[in-house]
Amino acid sequence: MSTITWDEVLPLITPDLPTCPEATIKEYLPIVASDFFARTHLWRESLVDQNTVSDQAEYDLCSNGFDTVIESVLWLKVDDKNMTHTDARMVNPEYLESTGQPTRFWVVNDRKIRLFYIPDQVYPIQGELALKPSRTAQTIPKWVYETWIDAIVSGTIYRLCRIRGKDWTDVEFAALHKNLYEQGVTNARIRDLRNVRNQVRMVRF
């Protein structure tokens, strides 16, 4: 999948904030991108016709070539049976290492899922995830740049301009771009309802 680096996004910001260091801009870009996708769930990836591994409890779901974390597991099935999203604290520690057909799962460190019971054999697994870039991500998919970069740029300008005591501090400009960012989030949600699963791709364990 084609990628875009934050260096390629800088020309969209530096003309408006010429005194802001590029390193600072690149620090804020992934933070805003993470917030954008956390709020819109636009970055979705699908697990299709994958399998569990016998005696393996945890599965890395972020091995997609990008520095991403799991925002939400939208749904998950094992052997065509719906899994219940739970928490490790809801499982009796005495049974935590029990094996069998999984019935529940939870997210570990925002990057993996942990199945309970631990699979005792190979089971087909399907699901759909909502992802977001990590706050230290250096690249994003090109489709993000093509469609949503204006919103991410406005969100970044908004956050930078509200920092107090800087050469580029500008409360009014921050308010303008905050409105543009929020409108971008709203537009993304509306468009997503019209184009369901537009950015779904398959990943493998």
Side-chain angles (χ1 to χ4, degrees), residues 64-83:
N64 57 5
F66 293 96
D67 186 1
T68 55
V69 296
I70 299 170
E71 172 62 23
S72 178
V73 179
L74 303 178
W75 62 272
L76 192 69
K77 289 184 178 182
V78 171
D79 200 22
D80 207 32
K81 295 180 175 60
N82 290 323
M83 298 280 286

Side-chain angles (χ1 to χ4, degrees), residues 57 86-99 104 106 114-119:
T86 186
D87 185 277
R89 293 167 294 183
M90 302 297 291
V91 177
N92 188 324
E94 294 182 11
Y95 302 107
L96 195 58
E97 300 302 319
S98 299
T99 60
R104 288 176 274 177
W106 56 89
R114 208 285 196 179
L115 300 180
F116 178 79
Y117 301 95
I118 300 173

Side-chain angles (χ1 to χ4, degrees), residues 1-6 8-9 29-30 33-34 37 43 65-68 132-134 137-146 148-149 152:
M1 180 183 292
S2 298
T3 65
I4 295 292
T5 66
W6 296 130
E8 295 174 86
V9 181
L29 275 165
S34 179
F37 285 103
W43 192 337
F66 293 96
D67 186 1
T68 55
K132 63 183 179 182
S134 79
Q138 299 300 306
T139 62
I140 53 173
K142 190 174 182 179
W143 65 261
V144 176
Y145 181 88
E146 295 292 345
W148 305 113
I149 199 62
I152 294 170

Side-chain angles (χ1 to χ4, degrees), residues 74-205:
L74 303 178
W75 62 272
L76 192 69
K77 289 184 178 182
V78 171
D79 200 22
D80 207 32
K81 295 180 175 60
N82 290 323
M83 298 280 286
T84 300
H85 195 166
T86 186
D87 185 277
R89 293 167 294 183
M90 302 297 291
V91 177
N92 188 324
E94 294 182 11
Y95 302 107
L96 195 58
E97 300 302 319
S98 299
T99 60
Q101 182 169 339
T103 58
R104 288 176 274 177
F105 75 93
W106 56 89
V107 178
V108 179
N109 297 330
D110 289 339
R111 291 185 179 271
K112 300 179 180 181
I113 60 166
R114 208 285 196 179
L115 300 180
F116 178 79
Y117 301 95
I118 300 173
D120 59 347
Q121 64 183 56
V122 175
Y123 294 99
I125 183 169
Q126 296 177 311
E128 191 170 18
L129 316 173
L131 303 179
K132 63 183 179 182
S134 79
R135 292 166 69 94
T136 57
Q138 299 300 306
T139 62
I140 53 173
K142 190 174 182 179
W143 65 261
V144 176
Y145 181 88
E146 295 292 345
T147 310
W148 305 113
I149 199 62
D150 287 343
I152 294 170
V153 164
S154 284
T156 303
I157 292 174
Y158 150 62
R159 292 202 179 204
L160 290 169
C161 286
R162 72 176 184 176
I163 300 175
R164 296 180 180 179
K166 301 295 184 179
D167 292 343
W168 60 87
T169 301
D170 189 326
V171 176
E172 291 185 4
F173 204 47
L176 169 64
H177 279 279
K178 182 178 189 298
N179 290 336
L180 291 173
Y181 177 63
E182 293 298 335
Q183 187 60 56
V185 171
T186 300
N187 290 343
R189 290 170 173 167
I190 294 172
R191 185 177 187 271
D192 189 47
L193 291 175
R194 189 174 67 245
N195 297 283
V196 176
R197 301 169 71 89
N198 186 47
Q199 298 298 342
V200 172
R201 59 186 291 268
M202 292 186 291
V203 296
R204 293 188 175 276
F205 287 142

